[in-house]
Amino acid sequence: MRINDVLNAKSSSDVITIGPDASVRDLVALLAEHNVGALIVSADGESVDGIVSERDVVRRLNDRPDVLDARVSELMTTDVRTCEGDAALTELMRVMTEHRVRHVPVLTGGKLTGIISIGDVVKNRIGELEFERDQLDSYLHQT
């Protein structure tokens, strides 16, 4: 299975980005509006300048109560793990586990084309297991 297969199965292929100069308040609004846990930080909508998650915001609240007035660039992670859409899903699972990341931008030719979350990966894996179970059940109950 390839990463693009998982992306194609998602209900929406939209990649929501936010500029590095946007406020964290704007970030929180976008996260809520699109019901996602992270956004790609991109100045042009095609490159990956960073990634920022709701966890990044929550972790900063303790140290900085005015975090909502900060810029996204102050919170974002700049060392972003990315993947290509034609890469094997098993490789992405390894990267997500090894580096403890939950969201990975997908690039094609160096340009942002998608984002895949750990939830997308788990949903796909459950679907595969259910299919295998159904196939085995069908085989065992053939007359």
Side-chain angles (χ1 to χ4, degrees), residues 32-106:
E33 177 184 343
H34 296 282
N35 194 30
V36 294
L39 295 180
I40 305 301
V41 182
S42 177
D44 61 9
E46 293 183 345
S47 62
V48 177
D49 301 325
I51 191 165
V52 64
S53 71
E54 57 195 8
R55 282 182 162 199
D56 295 324
V57 176
V58 170
R59 287 183 177 144
R60 289 288 179 94
L61 277 171
N62 187 47
D63 302 332
R64 189 172 172 186
D66 66 337
V67 72
L68 292 177
D69 298 320
R71 298 282 150 229
V72 168
S73 59
E74 296 175 50
L75 271 71
M76 71 183 191
T77 299
T78 56
D79 182 20
V80 182
R81 303 284 170 193
T82 63
C83 62
E84 292 283 331
D86 60 356
L89 186 60
T90 52
E91 174 61 17
L92 176 63
M93 291 165 51
R94 185 190 63 73
V95 168
M96 289 177 127
T97 302
E98 230 175 70
H99 299 282
R100 299 179 51 103
V101 295
R102 296 171 175 247
H103 300 87
V104 177
V106 181

